[in-house]
PDB file of all heavy atoms in Angstrom:
ATOM      1  N   VAL T  80       7.527  -8.924   5.317  1.00  0.00           N
ATOM      2  CA  VAL T  80       7.930  -9.974   4.399  1.00  0.00           C
ATOM      3  C   VAL T  80       7.001  -9.997   3.231  1.00  0.00           C
ATOM      4  O   VAL T  80       5.819 -10.036   3.376  1.00  0.00           O
ATOM      5  CB  VAL T  80       7.865 -11.424   5.142  1.00  0.00           C
ATOM      6  CG1 VAL T  80       8.185 -12.485   4.134  1.00  0.00           C
ATOM      7  CG2 VAL T  80       8.806 -11.432   6.322  1.00  0.00           C
ATOM      8  N   CYS T  81       7.593  -9.865   2.072  1.00  0.00           N
ATOM      9  CA  CYS T  81       6.858  -9.821   0.844  1.00  0.00           C
ATOM     10  C   CYS T  81       6.303 -11.210   0.462  1.00  0.00           C
ATOM     11  O   CYS T  81       6.988 -12.214   0.618  1.00  0.00           O
ATOM     12  CB  CYS T  81       7.781  -9.354  -0.256  1.00  0.00           C
ATOM     13  SG  CYS T  81       7.047  -9.508  -1.920  1.00  0.00           S
ATOM     14  N   GLN T  82       5.036 -11.255   0.079  1.00  0.00           N
ATOM     15  CA  GLN T  82       4.441 -12.548  -0.290  1.00  0.00           C
ATOM     16  C   GLN T  82       4.922 -13.004  -1.656  1.00  0.00           C
ATOM     17  O   GLN T  82       4.853 -14.161  -2.000  1.00  0.00           O
ATOM     18  CB  GLN T  82       2.924 -12.450  -0.276  1.00  0.00           C
ATOM     19  CG  GLN T  82       2.445 -12.296   1.146  1.00  0.00           C
ATOM     20  CD  GLN T  82       0.914 -11.943   1.182  1.00  0.00           C
ATOM     21  OE1 GLN T  82       0.229 -11.972   0.197  1.00  0.00           O
ATOM     22  NE2 GLN T  82       0.422 -11.612   2.363  1.00  0.00           N
ATOM     23  N   GLY T  83       5.368 -12.054  -2.466  1.00  0.00           N
ATOM     24  CA  GLY T  83       5.812 -12.362  -3.813  1.00  0.00           C
ATOM     25  C   GLY T  83       7.207 -13.070  -3.787  1.00  0.00           C
ATOM     26  O   GLY T  83       7.375 -14.160  -4.281  1.00  0.00           O
ATOM     27  N   CYS T  84       8.184 -12.363  -3.194  1.00  0.00           N
ATOM     28  CA  CYS T  84       9.539 -12.953  -3.227  1.00  0.00           C
ATOM     29  C   CYS T  84       9.929 -13.608  -1.904  1.00  0.00           C
ATOM     30  O   CYS T  84      10.997 -14.145  -1.764  1.00  0.00           O
ATOM     31  CB  CYS T  84      10.561 -11.885  -3.637  1.00  0.00           C
ATOM     32  SG  CYS T  84      10.506 -10.387  -2.625  1.00  0.00           S
ATOM     33  N   ASP T  85       8.995 -13.581  -0.920  1.00  0.00           N
ATOM     34  CA  ASP T  85       9.208 -14.251   0.379  1.00  0.00           C
ATOM     35  C   ASP T  85      10.453 -13.751   1.047  1.00  0.00           C
ATOM     36  O   ASP T  85      11.168 -14.506   1.767  1.00  0.00           O
ATOM     37  CB  ASP T  85       9.259 -15.755   0.124  1.00  0.00           C
ATOM     38  CG  ASP T  85       8.942 -16.486   1.481  1.00  0.00           C
ATOM     39  OD1 ASP T  85       8.023 -16.057   2.192  1.00  0.00           O
ATOM     40  OD2 ASP T  85       9.592 -17.498   1.802  1.00  0.00           O
ATOM     41  N   GLU T  86      10.839 -12.541   0.827  1.00  0.00           N
ATOM     42  CA  GLU T  86      12.002 -11.941   1.509  1.00  0.00           C
ATOM     43  C   GLU T  86      11.551 -10.710   2.285  1.00  0.00           C
ATOM     44  O   GLU T  86      10.678  -9.970   1.863  1.00  0.00           O
ATOM     45  CB  GLU T  86      13.018 -11.490   0.458  1.00  0.00           C
ATOM     46  CG  GLU T  86      13.673 -12.593  -0.283  1.00  0.00           C
ATOM     47  CD  GLU T  86      14.697 -13.364   0.538  1.00  0.00           C
ATOM     48  OE1 GLU T  86      15.148 -12.757   1.525  1.00  0.00           O
ATOM     49  OE2 GLU T  86      14.944 -14.515   0.208  1.00  0.00           O
ATOM     50  N   ARG T  89      12.232  -3.670   1.943  1.00  0.00           N
ATOM     51  CA  ARG T  89      11.633  -2.357   2.006  1.00  0.00           C
ATOM     52  C   ARG T  89      10.426  -2.261   1.185  1.00  0.00           C
ATOM     53  O   ARG T  89      10.232  -3.007   0.220  1.00  0.00           O
ATOM     54  CB  ARG T  89      12.665  -1.324   1.562  1.00  0.00           C
ATOM     55  CG  ARG T  89      13.867  -1.203   2.494  1.00  0.00           C
ATOM     56  CD  ARG T  89      14.422   0.181   2.385  1.00  0.00           C
ATOM     57  NE  ARG T  89      15.173   0.458   3.599  1.00  0.00           N
ATOM     58  CZ  ARG T  89      14.676   1.099   4.648  1.00  0.00           C
ATOM     59  NH1 ARG T  89      13.427   1.502   4.628  1.00  0.00           N
ATOM     60  NH2 ARG T  89      15.436   1.332   5.670  1.00  0.00           N
ATOM     61  N   VAL T 103       3.871  -1.569  -2.022  1.00  0.00           N
ATOM     62  CA  VAL T 103       4.423  -2.577  -2.915  1.00  0.00           C
ATOM     63  C   VAL T 103       5.889  -2.922  -2.548  1.00  0.00           C
ATOM     64  O   VAL T 103       6.557  -2.081  -1.956  1.00  0.00           O
ATOM     65  CB  VAL T 103       4.367  -2.132  -4.429  1.00  0.00           C
ATOM     66  CG1 VAL T 103       2.959  -1.944  -4.891  1.00  0.00           C
ATOM     67  CG2 VAL T 103       5.194  -0.910  -4.654  1.00  0.00           C
ATOM     68  N   CYS T 104       6.259  -4.133  -2.885  1.00  0.00           N
ATOM     69  CA  CYS T 104       7.633  -4.606  -2.610  1.00  0.00           C
ATOM     70  C   CYS T 104       8.605  -3.874  -3.512  1.00  0.00           C
ATOM     71  O   CYS T 104       8.359  -3.799  -4.692  1.00  0.00           O
ATOM     72  CB  CYS T 104       7.690  -6.077  -2.788  1.00  0.00           C
ATOM     73  SG  CYS T 104       9.362  -6.755  -2.690  1.00  0.00           S
ATOM     74  N   ARG T 105       9.650  -3.366  -2.922  1.00  0.00           N
ATOM     75  CA  ARG T 105      10.648  -2.666  -3.751  1.00  0.00           C
ATOM     76  C   ARG T 105      11.410  -3.654  -4.630  1.00  0.00           C
ATOM     77  O   ARG T 105      12.026  -3.281  -5.649  1.00  0.00           O
ATOM     78  CB  ARG T 105      11.651  -1.925  -2.885  1.00  0.00           C
ATOM     79  CG  ARG T 105      11.291  -0.518  -2.555  1.00  0.00           C
ATOM     80  CD  ARG T 105      12.390   0.134  -1.801  1.00  0.00           C
ATOM     81  NE  ARG T 105      11.803   1.182  -0.933  1.00  0.00           N
ATOM     82  CZ  ARG T 105      11.838   2.454  -1.209  1.00  0.00           C
ATOM     83  NH1 ARG T 105      12.372   2.896  -2.322  1.00  0.00           N
ATOM     84  NH2 ARG T 105      11.303   3.323  -0.333  1.00  0.00           N
ATOM     85  N   GLN T 106      11.456  -4.914  -4.182  1.00  0.00           N
ATOM     86  CA  GLN T 106      12.295  -5.898  -4.915  1.00  0.00           C
ATOM     87  C   GLN T 106      11.538  -6.427  -6.104  1.00  0.00           C
ATOM     88  O   GLN T 106      12.082  -6.498  -7.197  1.00  0.00           O
ATOM     89  CB  GLN T 106      12.699  -7.041  -3.981  1.00  0.00           C
ATOM     90  CG  GLN T 106      13.941  -6.643  -3.157  1.00  0.00           C
ATOM     91  CD  GLN T 106      13.768  -7.003  -1.662  1.00  0.00           C
ATOM     92  OE1 GLN T 106      14.623  -6.629  -0.896  1.00  0.00           O
ATOM     93  NE2 GLN T 106      12.700  -7.623  -1.240  1.00  0.00           N
ATOM     94  N   CYS T 107      10.312  -6.896  -5.877  1.00  0.00           N
ATOM     95  CA  CYS T 107       9.599  -7.619  -6.979  1.00  0.00           C
ATOM     96  C   CYS T 107       8.346  -6.885  -7.387  1.00  0.00           C
ATOM     97  O   CYS T 107       7.711  -7.242  -8.386  1.00  0.00           O
ATOM     98  CB  CYS T 107       9.285  -9.047  -6.560  1.00  0.00           C
ATOM     99  SG  CYS T 107       7.978  -9.159  -5.314  1.00  0.00           S
ATOM    100  N   GLY T 108       7.957  -5.811  -6.712  1.00  0.00           N
ATOM    101  CA  GLY T 108       6.812  -5.040  -7.103  1.00  0.00           C
ATOM    102  C   GLY T 108       5.516  -5.651  -6.701  1.00  0.00           C
ATOM    103  O   GLY T 108       4.434  -5.131  -7.059  1.00  0.00           O
ATOM    104  N   ALA T 109       5.527  -6.699  -5.922  1.00  0.00           N
ATOM    105  CA  ALA T 109       4.264  -7.340  -5.448  1.00  0.00           C
ATOM    106  C   ALA T 109       3.470  -6.401  -4.539  1.00  0.00           C
ATOM    107  O   ALA T 109       4.089  -5.629  -3.765  1.00  0.00           O
ATOM    108  CB  ALA T 109       4.539  -8.641  -4.719  1.00  0.00           C
ATOM    109  N   ILE T 111       1.745  -5.476  -1.385  1.00  0.00           N
ATOM    110  CA  ILE T 111       1.737  -5.985  -0.043  1.00  0.00           C
ATOM    111  C   ILE T 111       0.340  -6.001   0.539  1.00  0.00           C
ATOM    112  O   ILE T 111       0.020  -6.854   1.390  1.00  0.00           O
ATOM    113  CB  ILE T 111       2.663  -5.063   0.858  1.00  0.00           C
ATOM    114  CG1 ILE T 111       4.058  -4.947   0.300  1.00  0.00           C
ATOM    115  CG2 ILE T 111       2.649  -5.528   2.320  1.00  0.00           C
ATOM    116  CD1 ILE T 111       4.920  -6.072   0.536  1.00  0.00           C
TER     117      ILE T 111
HETATM  118 ZN1   ZN Q  26       8.804  -8.989  -3.229  1.00  0.00          ZN
END
Side-chain angles (χ1 to χ4, degrees):
V80 176
C81 169
Q82 291 170 7
C84 54
D85 202 41
E86 291 287 338
R89 293 206 158 268
V103 297
C104 173
R105 269 186 209 260
Q106 279 132 186
C107 70
I111 305 282

